[in-house]
Amino acid sequence: AEVDECAVFHSCDELAACNNTVGSFTCACNSGYIGDGTNSTCSDQDECASSAHDCHPFAACTNTEGSFECDCVVGYKGNGTVGAGNC
């Protein structure tokens, strides 16, 4: 019978998802984190530094643990992102 290694034992990082496969498992870091997903390898992705964000050109990007925030610069209002409600 197939064993669900994710339910029994796995070496995925606490910030990663475990995916059971036939006879094994895979790990993938959660959104906002980078690494191979195993043994404490997931670390915060700096979306602001890597341009992996959707902040408006008139907004400042601030990296947060596992995510980021967009804030319109002085003189502009909105949610800070590209699209509806932007700056």
Side-chain angles (χ1 to χ4, degrees), residues 67-84:
S67 190
F68 62 95
E69 296 175 353
C70 304
D71 294 301
C72 294
V73 296
V74 175
Y76 292 86
K77 294 184 186 231
N79 66 11
T81 61
V82 173

Side-chain angles (χ1 to χ4, degrees), residues 2-64:
E2 168 61 17
V3 175
D4 183 348
E5 289 84 2
C6 295
V8 179
F9 170 80
H10 64 80
S11 58
C12 295
D13 186 272
E14 65 181 26
L15 298 171
C18 182
N19 181 37
N20 188 54
T21 61
V22 176
S24 190
F25 64 93
T26 60
C27 305
C29 293
N30 296 336
S31 177
Y33 295 89
I34 54 175
D36 69 10
T38 60
N39 298 319
S40 301
T41 59
C42 294
S43 59
D44 180 52
Q45 175 186 10
D46 187 342
E47 293 87 356
C48 299
S50 66
S51 297
H53 62 80
D54 63 349
C55 293
H56 190 273
F58 296 124
C61 183
T62 303
N63 188 58
T64 61

